[in-house]
């Protein structure tokens, strides 16, 4: 059995959370609220020491101490000032000022995303679907079947999501085939999700039986 | 000033960064680098929103003595202890690496977070037992695909198969891989393309000022 | 009997799941692992690298997924250190910062490595898109200092590592959308950076399209992926150990689904027969 006080605290909190399996209770509620508080505290520390200090404070300081040119001080001061507008949220009268940093961040994000999303998720995916047909002579029978199946699957599933045309007749048939592909896809996702969730439980049991009680190595 | 300037700012930053991608020159790269820097500086300040929302919620609960209000004190205790310990330690020579900050993280935050999600293993098994029914063709396909993937994911699946049949000793693993590589891939690709088209059009609407919900209500 | 099965208290199912995990863990059974091609691809890529080449590992996950991704991270780190590759650790997730720090130091101590020469842990910076794009130009513009506050210019291994051009492979260990939402669009598409991914079971299915296009070099699926990689480096760890309990719970869930369906259809047939008569 562990002699480490940290392991004992961790084991106690683990059991507090597991107690929810029986029913909601004060131990679970205590751990749940402690978790929320500690997580936000952790977020504050990380944002200050890994965000605000290296990106805002350090460049300003370097400009003053001469490690960086003085003009950088003023160039850095503009976004720092814009960042401080987030605090306007705390003053209802000026809370509209928060729109400035949000608008800049959203505009920037959208601008960066558009061309890269087009290439990553549209062009490359279309390319991946059609590429096997460009080298069809070098493919085995199994690979050709796979390529045809992939093309059918992509087209049918896309048709299912195409709502500008009523899903009747041929379109209805194609979209029904799309549903089949979707269901197999969701089924495989469920299968993998089970593996994911069970892994988390295995790790906690391993902690309780190994690190805490010392029954397993 | 209250609505138009943010819309103009959003348009300018958005359109410039979209065009920049297609015009690679020294100037445009420098401009991108400066804009990226601005984003890195502005972004962390958004933290104040998260803190303000949480503090307001729990402070109100304590003030009004709402149901379970004592637990809100636990939230504040956790928040203050972690924030003070980490922030102070961050100014020492070791930074936030190791020390009491890492100790609290590893022994308090990690076990609770990990166990919270471990509960889902029980719920997913219970849900599978109660709700996973082959009522229709579609539901049957979903169920069969899930069972085959699960059987293939478990190493014992191959062992059981080897007891049943001498051919293809890893058939369950191969079937799982085939499902993931073929029908799963096709449907996922279509979903990715659909989502991306939606995201791109939404981004364009934001840049062009058609979508303004991020500005919130009021003047 | 059938009615009882249909209205079984869920806590009995919970108890079965608990036992299905506890018993194999206590017995320490081990099952042979079959290595899938996407995991093999990552191993082959790293195996093909020469001594001194740089691998970046992104710990883009938190405690809620460490059960799946920590064993993967340990296996990949062991492979890299064994091959004398230089490793840079970083994360786009705040909660990943401390996990990555602890893990890198632990695994590095197993080998004859020196911080700053064989590995550097950069930690976390907020602003996913901006961080990745700016690192494409200059890593030191984002990480002027490492996680413990040492300027990265003081680390000898960073002298010839300026941006993605100097990194052979990025291994993203991810619990969220960082692979398809960040690393692929911003580093593969923008800078043609080779990327491999190790992800949680929940998201593995959705990454297969990127594997087929070559946007991903390889893909490790959850705890199974960790076990596969442990088999490849011939050093079993938590992944291999966990797959025994994993197998039993999987069988249990399969049996539960089958029993649930048999009970459901039997009840429905009885009800239909009762309506006819």
């Amino acid at each position: 059995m562990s002699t480490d006080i940290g392991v004992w605290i961790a084991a106690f909190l683990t059991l507090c959370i597991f107690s929810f399996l029986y029913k909601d209770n004060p131990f679970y509620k205590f751990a749940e609220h402690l978790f929320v508080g500690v997580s936000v505290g952790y977020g504050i520390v990380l944002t200050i020491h890994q965000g605000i200090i290296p990106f805002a404070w350090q460049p300003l300081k370097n400009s003053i101490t001469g490690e960086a040119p003085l003009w950088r001080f003023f160039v850095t001061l503009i976004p720092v000032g814009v960042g401080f507008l987030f605090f306007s949220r705390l003053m209802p009268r000026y809370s509209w000022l928060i729109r400035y940093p949000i608008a800049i961040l959203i505009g920037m994000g959208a601008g960066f995303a558009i061309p890269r999303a087009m290439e990553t998720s549209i062009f490359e995916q279309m390319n991946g679907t059609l590429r096997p047909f460009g080298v069809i002579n070098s493919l085995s029978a199994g690979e050709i079947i796979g390529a045809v199946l992939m093309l059918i699957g992509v087209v049918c599933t896309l048709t299912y999501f195409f709502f500008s045309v009523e899903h009747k007749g041929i379109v209805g048939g194609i979209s029904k085939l799309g549903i089949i592909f979707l269901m197999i896809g969701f089924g495989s996702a469920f299968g993998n999700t089970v593996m994911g969730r069970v892994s988390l439980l295995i790790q906690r049991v391993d902690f309780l039986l190994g690190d805490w009680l010392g029954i397993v190595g | 000033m209250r609505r138009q300037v943010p819309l103009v700012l959003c348009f300018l930053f958005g359109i410039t960064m979209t065009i920049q991608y297609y015009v690679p020159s020294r100037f445009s790269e420098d401009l991108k680098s400066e804009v990226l820097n601005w984003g890195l500086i502005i972004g962390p300040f958004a933290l104040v929103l998260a803190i303000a929302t949480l503090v307001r919620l729990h402070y109100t609960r304590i003030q009004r003595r709402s149901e379970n209000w004592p637990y809100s004190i636990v939230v504040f205790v956790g928040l203050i202890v972690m924030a003070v310990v980490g922030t102070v330690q961050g100014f020492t020579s070791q930074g936030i690496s190791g020390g009491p900050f890492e100790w609290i993280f590893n022994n308090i935050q990690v076990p609770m977070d990990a166990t919270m999600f471990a509960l889902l293993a029980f719920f997913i098994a219970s849900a599978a037992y109660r709700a996973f029914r082959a009522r229709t063709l579609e539901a049957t396909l979903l169920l069969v695909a899930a069972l085959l993937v699960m059987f293939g994911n478990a190493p014992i699946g191959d062992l059981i198969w080897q007891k049943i049949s001498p051919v293809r000793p890893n058939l369950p693993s191969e079937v799982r891989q085939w499902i993931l590589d073929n029908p799963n891939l096709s449907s996922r690709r279509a979903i990715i393309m659909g989502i991306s088209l939606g995201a791109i059009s939404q981004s364009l609407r934001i840049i062009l000022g058609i979508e303004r919900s991020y500005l919130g209500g009021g003047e | 009997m059938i009615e009882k099965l249909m209205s079984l208290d869920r806590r009995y199912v919970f108890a079965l799941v608990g036992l299905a995990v506890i018993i194999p863990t206590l017995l320490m059974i081990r099952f042979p692992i079959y290595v899938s091609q996407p995991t093999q691809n990552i191993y082959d890529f790293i195996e093909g690298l020469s001594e001194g080449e740089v691998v970046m590992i992104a710990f883009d996950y938190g405690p809620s997924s460490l059960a799946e991704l920590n064993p993967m991270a340990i296996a990949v780190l062991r492979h890299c250190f064994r091959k004398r590759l230089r490793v840079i650790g970083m994360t786009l997730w705040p909660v990943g910062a401390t996990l990555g720090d602890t893990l890198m130091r632990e695994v590095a101590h197993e080998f004859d490595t020196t911080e700053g020469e064989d590995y550097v842990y950069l930690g976390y910076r907020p602003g996913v898109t901006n961080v990745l794009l700016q690192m494409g130009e200059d890593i030191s513009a984002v990480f002027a200092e490492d996680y413990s506050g040492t300027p990265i210019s003081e680390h000898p291994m960073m002298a010839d590592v300026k941006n993605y051009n100097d990194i052979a492979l990025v291994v993203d260990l991810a619990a969220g959308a960082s692979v398809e939402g960040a690393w692929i669009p911003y580093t593969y598409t923008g800078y043609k950076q080779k990327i491999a991914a190790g992800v949680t079971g929940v998201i593995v299915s959705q990454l297969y399209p990127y594997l087929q296009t070559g946007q991903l070099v390889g893909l490790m699926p959850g705890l199974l992926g960790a076990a596969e990689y442990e088999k490849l480096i011939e050093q079993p760890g938590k992944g291999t150990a966990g797959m025994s309990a994993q197998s039993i719970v999987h069988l249990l869930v399969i049996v539960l689904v089958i029993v649930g369906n048999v009970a459901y259809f039997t009840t429905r047939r009885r009800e239909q027969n009762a309506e006819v008569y």
Side-chain angles (χ1 to χ4, degrees), chain A residues 21-23 42-43 46-47 49-52 54-55 58 108-109 112-113 115-117 119-121 124-125 127-129 131-132 150 185 188-206 209 211 215-217, chain C residues 11 14 17 21-22 25-26 28 64-68 94-98 122-126 129-130 133 141-142 145 147 184-186 188-189 192 201-202 204-205 209-210 212-213 215 221-224 238 242-243 245-246 249-250 253:
Chain A
L21 288 170
Y22 183 67
K23 64 177 184 181
Y42 178 88
L46 264 284
T47 310
H49 284 290
Q50 303 270 283
I52 292 172
F55 290 143
Q58 208 65 43
M108 198 187 286
F112 286 132
R116 291 166 182 88
E119 207 163 315
T120 307
S121 306
E124 284 268 12
Q125 298 306 320
N127 190 346
T129 311
R131 195 186 301 150
M150 180 165 65
S188 69
F190 180 86
N192 283 323
T193 302
V194 170
M195 177 172 72
R197 299 309 184 210
V198 173
S199 306
L200 309 181
L201 176 61
I202 292 169
Q203 193 267 339
R204 292 326 289 159
V205 169
D206 184 58
L209 297 180
D211 298 348
I215 301 171
V216 290
Chain C
R11 278 175 285 203
F14 292 172
V17 173
V21 173
I22 292 168
T25 307
L26 286 172
M28 288 194 274
S64 58
S65 321
L66 68 83
E68 293 176 273
V95 273
T98 315
L122 299 177
Y124 163 75
R125 291 286 182 269
T129 306
N130 297 48
L133 288 175
V142 184
E145 295 171 341
Y147 186 62
I184 294 178
Y186 297 114
Y188 172 82
T189 302
K192 294 292 166 239
V202 178
V204 68
S205 305
Y210 302 101
Q212 187 260 345
T213 53
Q215 290 163 294
L223 195 68
L224 177 63
K238 294 282 182 196
M243 286 316 288
Q246 191 76 255
V249 181
H250 272 65
V253 174

Side-chain angles (χ1 to χ4, degrees), chain C residues 80-223:
Chain C
C80 291
F81 286 136
R82 200 185 283 175
K83 278 201 61 75
R84 307 288 308 170
L85 302 173
R86 290 179 291 167
V87 182
I88 299 174
M90 55 88 62
T91 175
L92 299 171
W93 279 41
V95 273
T98 315
L99 287 179
D101 182 40
T102 315
L103 207 69
M104 262 191 94
R105 271 189 281 124
E106 266 176 30
V107 182
H109 286 159
E110 292 176 17
F111 297 84
D112 178 25
T113 54
T114 311
E115 185 173 3
E117 287 176 21
D118 303 295
Y119 71 96
V120 166
Y121 184 66
L122 299 177
Y124 163 75
R125 291 286 182 269
V128 177
T129 306
N130 297 48
V131 167
L132 293 184
L133 288 175
Q134 195 71 301
M135 283 206 305
E137 309 301 322
D138 184 2
I139 293 173
S140 68
V142 184
F143 292 99
E145 295 171 341
D146 70 5
Y147 186 62
S148 50
T150 311
I152 66 165
S153 55
E154 289 179 15
H155 292 306
M157 73 164 270
M158 295 304 285
D160 59 347
V161 182
K162 181 172 166 51
N163 53 34
Y164 297 132
N165 290 335
D166 308 308
I167 294 171
L169 179 72
V170 169
V171 181
D172 186 24
L173 303 171
S178 63
V179 182
E180 75 277 30
W183 285 100
I184 294 178
Y186 297 114
T187 59
Y188 172 82
T189 302
Y191 300 93
K192 294 292 166 239
Q193 170 65 53
K194 296 273 184 202
I195 299 167
V199 300
T200 56
V202 178
I203 56 173
V204 68
S205 305
Q206 69 204 45
L207 292 177
Y208 271 77
Y210 302 101
L211 200 58
Q212 187 260 345
T213 53
Q215 290 163 294
L216 284 178
V217 169
L219 180 64
M220 286 182 280
L223 195 68

